[in-house]
Every structure is written in C-alpha cells, then in structure tokens.
Amino acid sequence: MTRERGMLEGMLRRVVGDAEAAEGLLGDLQEEHSRRGVRGLRYRAAVLGLIARYLFFRMIPGGGPGGGEPSSRGRELRFALRSLARAPAFTLGVLSTLALGLGATTAVFTVLDAVVLRPLPYPRADELVRLESAVPGLEPDARWHLARRQYVYFRDEATTLSSLGLYVSSVTTVGSVEEPERQAERVRLAMVNPDLPRVLGIEPLLGRAFTGEESLQRDPRVVMLSHGYWQRGFGGDPTVVGRSVLIEGRPSEVVGILPEGAHLPEEASSPGNPMDLWLPLYLDPEARAVNQHTFRAVGRMAPGVDVAAVNAELAGLSARLPDVLPTAYSQEFMERYGFHAVATPLHEDVVGHISGTLWIVFGSVGLLLLVGCFNAANLVMARTQRRQRELAIRAALGAGRGALARQLLLESLVLALAAGGAGLALAAWGVSTLVTLAPEGVPRLDQVAPGASAVLFMTLLSLGIGAVIGVVPLLGGSRRTQVLGESGRGLTPSRRHHALRRGLVVGQLAVSLVLLTGATLLFRSFRNLAQVETGLDADDVLTFRVVLPFEHYGDYPLAGEFYRRASDALGALPGVERVGLVSALPLDGFDGCAVVYVEEAQPASREDATCVPVLLVGPGYFESVGIPVRGRDVAWSDVTDRTMVPVVSEAFARRFWRGEDPLGRGASGFGAPMAPVVGVVGDVRGAGLSRPVWDAIYLSMLPGENGNWAVPRFMHFTVRTDGTEPLALVPGVRRTLQELDPRVPLSDIRTLRSVVAASTARDSFIALLLGVASALSLLLSALGVYAVITYMVQGRRGEIGVRLALGADTTEVRRLVLGQSLGLAGLGVAIGLVLSLPLAPVLASLLFGVSPTDPLTLGLASLALVALAGAASLAPAVRATRVDPVEALRSE
C-alpha cells in the first residue's frame, strides 16, 4: 500500500505540474488520510478527486489560476451542485449512464494495461527475442522450438545476439529428505542452461546460480528454488541453501533461491501453476545432432540491433544447417518444409495470442461508452433547453455569455467526475469478474488490479467526457438561445438544436448496430463451434494425470506394471465402466508432431518422412472416450511384450493410403522398426474445434526398445463412469493411488467435458462480453429514441392538435410519430452498416463457419435495431393521440 500511495502521489504531482498547487493538494490528502484512515480503493478515489478538483478548473475558461478568486470558483461549484441536486432524475440518469460506460471501459483497460501494454518484468525487456523454428511446409503458421545442437550453433555463430539462453519445462515429484514417508508433491520445473539467467537479468536472492560445468553433467544433483516454493515449502528459511530435497526420489542440493517475481516467460500464461524448481539443463556440444525441437530459447539482441537484422542473420545461418548438422537436417528436408529459424520480440510472443482479443473487447466497451456519451449529451441538451428561461433571467441580471457557458461546462464536469468516482468502484468489481471469466492461458492475470494507471485513465477520460457533453449543448441553440438573454420566441429551440439531438440518437443507433452485429457474428460462430463433432463422447469421463518418479520407475517393466495395476484397481471402483491411458488429451493444447514413416513400394527414406501427431495409448483408451475402433485395440499383452502396435486415425489412412485398407500395412515412428497397423479409429479434432481432424498415429504405451523412446512417466488416465458424476470418484481415485504408491502424485483432475469446454473458452468469453456490451448499448439507444421522440411530440403538440381538430384519426397521428422514429432508425442502420464493413477484418480471425459480412447477420441485426426503435416510440405515439386539440391550440 505504501508503494502504491507513493505512485499515486507522484502521479498527482506530474498531472498538476505546479509544485505549489501539488503540495497544497497533497496536504489535503494527507490530512484526510490521517483523519479518516482512507485506504485502498478509497485512497485511489481521493486522489482522483484531488486531480479532478485541480484539472476541471483549469479546463474552465476563467476558472484556473489567475482566472478568478477561489471564493468565486467555490460559489460556482456550490451553485452547480445545487442545480444538479434540484434535478435528481436528470442527475441520476446521466450519472448511471456514464458510470456504466466508464466503469466497463476502465475495467477492460486495467486488464489490457497489465496484460498487453505493460513491459515484461525483465531489465531492458525490449531487447529480448524468442527464437523458434518456422515450418511453413507443415502449416503456414507452424512453429517448433529449437534443438540442442541447433541452439549451440546459433549461440556460437550469431553476432546479432549478445547472449542466448535455453530451457525446457516439465513436471516432477518432490519429497522430503527429513520426512521420506510424506506424500510426494507434483511440481513444475524448468531445466535451464547457465546463460538463461544472464539473458533475463535474474540474480539469485540467496546462494548461487548454476555453473557451466553443471550443464555438462548428466546428473548434477543441484537445484534452485523459486521464491514462492521457498516460502510455501520451507517458510522462507534461509538455511535451506545447502540442504537437500528429494527430486524423483533422489537427493539434490539446494544451491540458490530465486528472487520474488523471477519468472520464465511461460509462467505469465499460467500464474496459478508456477515453475517451482530450476534444474541445470544438460547440453553436450559434441552430441549427435537430431531433429528434436523441444527446447525454448530466449535471446538478447546486441546493442543497436533490431529484430529484422536478427532474422536476416538467422536466415543465413539456417541455410547452412545441412552442411553444419547433416545428421539432423538434409537439403531435401529444408526445401520440403521451408525450415528456418525466426526471432520474435518476446513481449509479442508472450501476449500476442491474447492481445487481439483484449483490444477487441476494449474497443467494444469503448463503443458502449460512446453510446453512453451520446445519451448523456442528449439529456444535457434537453435539460439546457428546459432551463433557457432561467438562463435568460441570469443573463438579464448581468451574467455574461461566457459565465453562463462556464457554468454549464462546470456542471457537466461535476457530473462526469462523479460518474468517474462511481465508475472506479464498478471497475474494481468488473476487473475481478473479467479475471474470473477469462479463458486459460491469458498471461499476467495475477498482476491485474486497479492501480495508479486506472485512476489516471479514469480521471482524464472523465474530464474529457465532461468537457464534450458540456460543450455540445452550446452548439445546438439559435443565435438568441446562445445569447441566453431574451424570452418569448427567442426561447424556441432552433432547427440546429433539433438536428443535433436527432444526430446524437442516430449516432447511438449506428454504434449499437456495430456492437450488435459483432455480438451476433460471434454468437453464431460459437454456436457453429459447439455443433462441431469432436469425435469424442465426453460425457461421464474423469481425467487426471500421474507423474512417475524416475528413481523408482526408470525402466519399462516397472512403469508398465504400475499402469496395469492402477488401471485394474481403478476399474474395480464402484461406478467405473472403463479405464484408459493416453500421453496427451485431445483439445488440451497438444499441437505437436513427430516424424513417421509408412510402408511404400520402396523403403522409406529419411526425406520421405512426414510429421504428424503421435500419441502413446494404453489399453482401454479409445473405448473410455468413445472413439470407435475397427480392427483391434492395444492390449496389455502388447505392453508386457514391448510390442509396438500402431493404430491410425481414418484421416491418417486417407492421407497415406488413399482409400486402401490400412490394416496390416506398415507404419513407424521415432525411428522404431516398421510394424503392421492393427486398428483404425475414428477422427478426432484434437488440436481445436476450428482446426482439421488429427491425421494421428497412436502407438502402444511401451513400444519396442529400438525406437528413440523414453519411459512414459507422464500419462493421463481417462475413467468412464456408468452415469455417476465423474468428480464424485475423486476421493476413491486418490485413495486407490495412495495405496498403490504414495510417491506418485495426482494432478490435473477434471472432466473430459470441461476439457472440451475449455477449448472454446476464448470464443465464449468474447461472445459473452460483446453480447453484454451490445445489450447495454441497445438499452441506452432505446432510451435515447424514447427521449427524442417524446421531446418531438412535446414540441409538435400544436401541429398535432391542429391535425386532430381538422379530423385526422389516431392512426394517422401514430403513423406520424412512428415515421419519425423509424426514419432515425433507418439512418442509424445505414451509417452502422457502413461502419461495420471496415471492422469486418478485425473479427475475421475469431469467426468459424460465418463470414464477417454475412448478409443474414447484418439483416437480422438491422431489423432488430429498427424494431427496437419502433418499440421505444410506441409510448410517445400513444400519448400523441391523446392530445386535447383545444388545450394544444390554447397553449400555442
């Protein structure tokens, strides 16, 4: 709180600029703080009030320093407050309209600022780049990470990079040396090379970093703890440095503690699942080069170098890969896939996937705020028109036109700033709601909170809106109305006044159509996604992940025996129908591929290999998730005998055998020998509902020893129930695995249905927010139409009375009023359609199965808006038919 208070007070000094004035305002703030003990949100609101108190007088002609005595300014402010208090309906209407828009806009700005606009928490973060391997021949936007020897080559040869770090993330089990019987804990870890902390500018809080010698050892048995894990697991005890912890059942010495806030870039996307441990990454610069791109790289650009220069150098270095590392990269491979390294600014890499989404949401609430401003300006204009006689009397008593204009402007500023104060409270609630609704993978959500930037944003936005809605009424009067000094017919609203008010309503309707069109498109897209066949039966399926400690399950027989015993024990639980295992769940973010070979007329060469999704499965997986099998499934005998049993998807069969029966044909992956395909399974949209089905190959969980395989220690269980609520099985599952081996942690417990729902979370998030924004804008637009049509009926009472006196029936009068309303709606729709067209490309990347210029959507949105305008004018139209001709003519 002390740090934030310092930031707020510094912001106050910068905004005010005048040191003496700033000190006076800070004195008032400190007195209020000591007298009432304001904290948190109230403290921010107090700063907002102080800034507003200084700035809105600066914005009023004659109201700033040198422009009037303080007592005069105080009298004007008190008069403005009394005037607003005498019109509670008007004041509450404007306050609620603006507070809603300001609160929503500030809430989204707070998230946008924390996630997208704020620099990454590294020294000179703009110098950091992510290095990846682009594979456009696989897919236009396909990206792999780096391979070990590829990294060594770039590190030694690239001159545009001053340093280059490498790491890979994984999961492990951690136990206690002092309490070996304690339940093992699953944690995330990062294996990093010694260059990475230097690249990111991270220095240990206690102890030391890894040495270059430790990265050359296969098993150095040293570890660094994250600050969070140090606090959580050891209570911040500094003596933990030098002690040991059990990692995979083996003791490792704690050599350092990372400082608070020291995170790897990936941790920004999963703040609730941090990297608790850092281990040295083994790098043998003389090892045989292989085409295995699993390591993430972050580089720091040399002084004076930009990203374009780095990419130009990487293109040249990539072209030499077949000569430098021929065992991993052939010329045919490079040409076939267009393989090359590419650098991306690290900030763009971390936030790029969500940046567009948040900007669209921010633009949507900005449009909602614009609709609210139109509505508020309309209300202010209507009130100013009703006050013309009051203002004329004040003018006759000597008030100049400037003084009257300043008074109107001051009232608008007071209203806007009061709305800003209320909006700040709404923003705090809105931020927590947005964080709750946000889909998984949004980076830096743990840093989202209303702070100094939100207060400043709200203050400046409120002042700007107050100035605009205060000036607009002065543009709408006739010359006599602007003079504000005459009565009688001089008080009659001018044509410009009528045109301006109608223009504001047309603007509301046009902006509302843009929001409604976007919301309708996203809703239809989300519905299309929801109707896509996943290839799974996701109901009544529980999933969870296990991690086998390497020390105890370092070979195939031990791991296979544990999985078999666990499957049998889980299958015996009440309510369980089938149990299966798989290395990666579909629709859960797995988007990798591995090289495979298929049986051809000639033996397959390395250049003929193709990269497709390869998954390891255990017996029962396909049946447990509802994927049909033709042929046979993997059996436990295959696992026991270490027989590689390929099962391919229908899409795989169509791609490689072009309609021929794949059963019995040879297939291979990861360098294992060819084996006959034993089964063909239904297609699954594993990489996303909007992506093509997987042309995947599934291999038995423990394949032959001739392949480049490691023991499958990370597997997902899939447990199908007999209709029992899947999460109700969790206590029994925990108890069963605890009895089998307490050293094996259980994690990622969820239903398969929630996995499918999470794959559309971003689409539902945007559709929901845009739908709420469009609904609110429609409500405000309806109120605007109602107010203008009511005002029009009042202004034409005499004309309507004459029509009725001359024999016009009520239908004709209603048609007259509705015609006015539908005319405004038609003009608003026309302008809204024109505005929607340039925004179509913005939504194109978010849509599935519907065009951003879909005629049906545009037509439905337009009809809905016209119907809304017609409904809003029904009550004024009915009132118009009840006008008494005699009273109307007498009042004229």
Side-chain angles (χ1 to χ4, degrees):
M1 182 63 197
T2 302
R3 180 182 177 187
E4 184 183 17
R5 186 178 302 123
M7 293 175 59
L8 290 167
E9 293 176 358
M11 180 188 70
L12 178 59
R13 287 191 174 92
R14 290 193 300 273
V15 172
V16 172
D18 184 338
E20 184 177 347
E23 291 301 326
L25 293 175
L26 284 173
D28 294 346
L29 176 64
Q30 290 163 2
E31 180 182 351
E32 182 74 2
H33 180 264
S34 61
R35 183 169 63 87
R36 301 179 58 186
V38 293
R39 296 179 180 275
L41 186 61
R42 292 176 60 193
Y43 191 87
R44 299 172 197 145
V47 173
L48 184 149
L50 286 172
I51 295 174
R53 175 177 137 191
Y54 183 83
L55 288 183
F56 74 58
F57 283 121
R58 293 294 297 265
M59 297 180 66
I60 300 170
E69 295 297 326
S71 59
S72 173
R73 297 199 299 268
R75 283 196 301 272
E76 289 179 343
L77 179 58
R78 286 193 296 273
F79 183 85
L81 293 173
R82 287 197 301 270
S83 176
L84 294 173
R86 287 196 298 268
F90 161 79
T91 301
L92 289 175
V94 174
L95 279 178
S96 58
T97 298
L98 291 181
L100 180 65
L102 285 168
T105 306
T106 303
V108 177
F109 170 80
T110 301
V111 177
L112 184 70
D113 176 57
V115 173
V116 177
L117 302 180
R118 195 175 300 168
L120 296 178
Y122 306 113
R124 305 189 311 280
D126 58 324
E127 299 177 0
L128 298 175
V129 292
R130 168 79 73 195
L131 262 64
E132 294 177 297
S133 301
V135 199
L138 186 64
E139 285 186 19
D141 58 348
R143 295 285 179 92
W144 294 348
H145 299 306
L146 297 193
R148 275 191 172 96
R149 288 296 305 277
Q150 183 191 20
Y151 158 77
V152 174
Y153 170 54
F154 289 154
R155 182 196 63 187
D156 295 342
E157 299 295 330
T159 60
T160 54
L161 297 173
S162 62
S163 54
L164 184 60
L166 195 70
Y167 66 100
V168 63
S169 60
S170 184
V171 293
T172 189
T173 59
V174 178
S176 171
V177 173
E178 292 84 1
E179 304 176 70
E181 73 284 354
R182 193 171 70 183
Q183 173 71 47
E185 181 183 4
R186 171 197 176 271
V187 300
R188 291 181 74 197
L189 67 86
M191 289 177 283
V192 307
N193 75 326
D195 294 322
L196 185 69
R198 291 194 293 271
V199 172
L200 299 179
I202 296 175
E203 295 289 339
L205 177 67
L206 297 174
R208 63 171 178 85
F210 300 133
T211 64
E213 292 75 15
E214 287 167 340
S215 68
L216 297 176
Q217 301 174 25
R218 288 186 176 273
D219 190 15
R221 301 288 183 95
V222 292
V223 63
M224 295 178 69
L225 307 182
S226 72
H227 190 276
Y229 188 72
W230 177 51
Q231 294 288 334
R232 185 176 75 247
F234 300 93
D237 182 3
T239 65
V240 71
V241 176
R243 290 157 53 186
S244 294
V245 294
L246 291 178
I247 300 177
E248 302 288 348
R250 297 173 297 179
S252 296
E253 180 188 357
V254 177
V255 298
I257 306 296
L258 295 169
E260 186 175 8
H263 300 303
L264 296 178
E266 279 64 39
E267 294 181 78
S269 300
S270 55
N273 195 16
M275 303 284 184
D276 289 323
L277 308 179
W278 281 19
L279 273 65
L281 175 63
Y282 172 67
L283 277 176
D284 182 359
E286 303 301 325
R288 179 178 181 271
V290 294
N291 198 333
Q292 187 177 12
H293 296 78
T294 56
F295 300 92
R296 299 177 184 269
V298 177
R300 185 173 289 275
M301 294 184 291
V305 173
D306 60 12
V307 177
V310 176
N311 279 317
E313 183 179 37
L314 289 176
L317 293 175
S318 297
R320 295 172 50 199
L321 282 172
D323 299 326
V324 178
L325 304 173
T327 60
Y329 308 98
S330 67
Q331 193 62 45
E332 293 82 359
F333 170 81
M334 301 291 289
E335 293 175 357
R336 178 178 183 180
Y337 290 106
F339 182 89
H340 65 283
V342 62
T344 306
L346 186 60
H347 185 276
E348 179 182 327
D349 178 77
V350 171
V351 306
H353 68 289
I354 198 65
S355 176
T357 298
L358 290 180
W359 278 114
I360 289 175
V361 174
F362 183 67
S364 302
V365 295
L367 292 177
L368 172 62
L369 177 60
L370 183 59
V371 172
C373 291
F374 283 146
N375 215 33
N378 225 328
L379 291 172
V380 171
M381 285 191 69
R383 182 169 182 265
T384 302
Q385 183 62 36
R386 289 195 296 271
R387 296 176 63 193
Q388 284 190 66
R389 188 172 298 279
E390 170 204 333
L391 298 173
I393 292 172
R394 291 189 63 198
L397 293 176
R401 186 168 58 181
L404 294 177
R406 188 166 63 247
Q407 187 65 46
L408 294 177
L409 180 58
L410 178 59
E411 291 180 10
S412 297
L413 287 170
V414 169
L415 274 173
L417 288 167
L424 195 61
L426 287 175
W429 173 81
V431 165
S432 63
T433 302
L434 284 172
V435 171
T436 301
L437 295 176
E440 291 184 7
V442 177
R444 304 200 279 182
L445 274 183
D446 58 325
Q447 302 174 26
V448 176
S453 58
V455 172
L456 180 59
F457 176 81
M458 177 73 82
T459 302
L460 297 179
L461 193 59
S462 300
L463 288 170
I465 290 173
V468 170
I469 65 175
V471 169
V472 166
L474 304 179
L475 306 176
S478 65
R479 181 180 179 279
R480 291 179 179 272
T481 305
Q482 292 174 17
V483 172
L484 300 174
E486 298 185 15
S487 58
R489 291 187 61 84
L491 298 179
T492 303
S494 66
R495 291 182 179 179
R496 190 191 305 172
H497 180 95
H498 284 303
L500 188 55
R501 292 201 64 192
R502 291 173 182 171
L504 290 171
V505 171
V506 169
Q508 278 185 288
L509 293 169
V511 174
S512 295
L513 181 67
V514 173
L515 281 171
L516 182 60
T517 300
T520 306
L521 285 170
L522 288 169
F523 174 77
R524 292 188 62 194
S525 174
F526 177 70
R527 188 185 63 177
N528 291 340
L529 277 176
Q531 292 175 346
V532 169
E533 288 293 334
T534 63
L536 306 167
D537 181 2
D539 294 327
D540 302 324
V541 178
L542 178 72
T543 74
F544 57 88
R545 192 185 193 195
V546 298
V547 182
L548 303 185
F550 181 81
E551 184 74 8
H552 306 288
Y553 297 93
D555 59 26
Y556 289 129
L558 290 174
E561 179 63 16
F562 173 83
Y563 288 131
R564 186 190 63 76
R565 291 172 57 212
S567 295
D568 291 344
L570 293 171
L573 290 175
V576 174
E577 285 190 346
R578 198 73 171 100
V579 178
L581 297 107
V582 66
S583 57
L585 292 172
L587 300 172
D588 193 32
F590 177 78
D591 201 16
C593 66
V595 172
V596 299
Y597 305 90
V598 297
E599 185 179 273
E600 300 286 351
Q602 300 295 328
S605 66
R606 183 161 54 88
E607 287 74 29
D608 295 327
T610 303
C611 202
V612 301
V614 178
L615 294 94
L616 303 182
V617 297
Y621 166 68
F622 300 112
E623 185 178 351
S624 67
V625 297
I627 300 177
V629 181
R630 182 168 65 86
R632 77 171 180 88
D633 195 354
V634 174
W636 282 115
S637 59
D638 301 319
V639 175
T640 304
D641 298 338
R642 304 186 190 180
T643 304
M644 190 181 78
V645 179
V647 176
V648 301
S649 68
E650 293 178 350
F652 187 98
R654 288 193 300 270
R655 177 177 177 180
F656 293 102
W657 289 293
R658 296 177 177 82
E660 298 181 17
D661 190 353
L663 293 177
R665 307 291 292 269
S668 170
F670 287 111
M674 287 282 184
V677 173
V678 301
V680 181
V681 298
D683 289 332
V684 173
R685 291 185 182 267
L689 294 179
S690 61
R691 302 277 297 276
V693 295
W694 262 347
D695 47 357
I697 181 171
Y698 303 88
L699 303 177
S700 55
M701 186 175 57
L702 298 173
E705 293 182 320
N706 294 331
N708 297 322
W709 299 93
V711 177
R713 298 186 300 111
F714 314 102
M715 295 293 287
H716 293 269
F717 277 87
T718 53
V719 181
R720 174 166 293 280
T721 73
D722 58 3
T724 304
E725 166 58 37
L727 292 177
L729 295 177
V730 172
V733 169
R734 286 191 183 277
R735 185 171 56 253
T736 299
L737 293 181
Q738 175 77 14
E739 292 171 355
L740 282 175
D741 191 341
R743 299 167 299 187
V744 177
L746 184 66
S747 63
D748 297 338
I749 303 172
R750 50 195 168 154
T751 65
L752 188 58
R753 175 57 61 191
S754 70
V755 175
V756 175
S759 68
T760 61
R762 188 192 70 156
D763 302 272
S764 61
F765 174 69
I766 302 176
L768 173 63
L769 294 184
L770 218 62
V772 172
S774 64
L776 292 174
S777 70
L778 288 175
L779 175 61
L780 293 176
S781 296
L783 294 175
V785 170
Y786 173 81
V788 165
I789 298 301
T790 299
Y791 184 75
M792 184 273 293
V793 170
Q794 291 293 330
R796 300 180 66 178
R797 280 172 55 84
E799 175 192 342
I800 293 172
V802 170
R803 289 175 179 270
L804 291 173
L806 293 177
D809 59 16
T810 56
T811 302
E812 189 175 336
V813 173
R814 280 196 294 268
R815 189 181 301 119
L816 172 69
V817 176
L818 289 174
Q820 290 274 352
S821 174
L822 296 179
L824 295 176
L827 185 56
V829 165
I831 296 175
L833 289 174
V834 172
L835 294 176
S836 297
L837 295 178
L839 298 178
V842 178
L843 289 177
S845 62
L846 302 176
L847 300 179
F848 175 76
V850 61
S851 166
T853 56
D854 178 59
L856 177 61
T857 300
L858 295 175
L860 289 175
S862 301
L863 287 175
L865 199 65
V866 170
L868 179 74
S873 61
L874 282 177
V878 171
R879 282 200 297 271
T881 62
R882 297 172 181 170
V883 171
D884 186 340
V886 177
E887 287 292 329
L889 294 173
R890 184 180 295 120
S891 63
E892 288 293 303

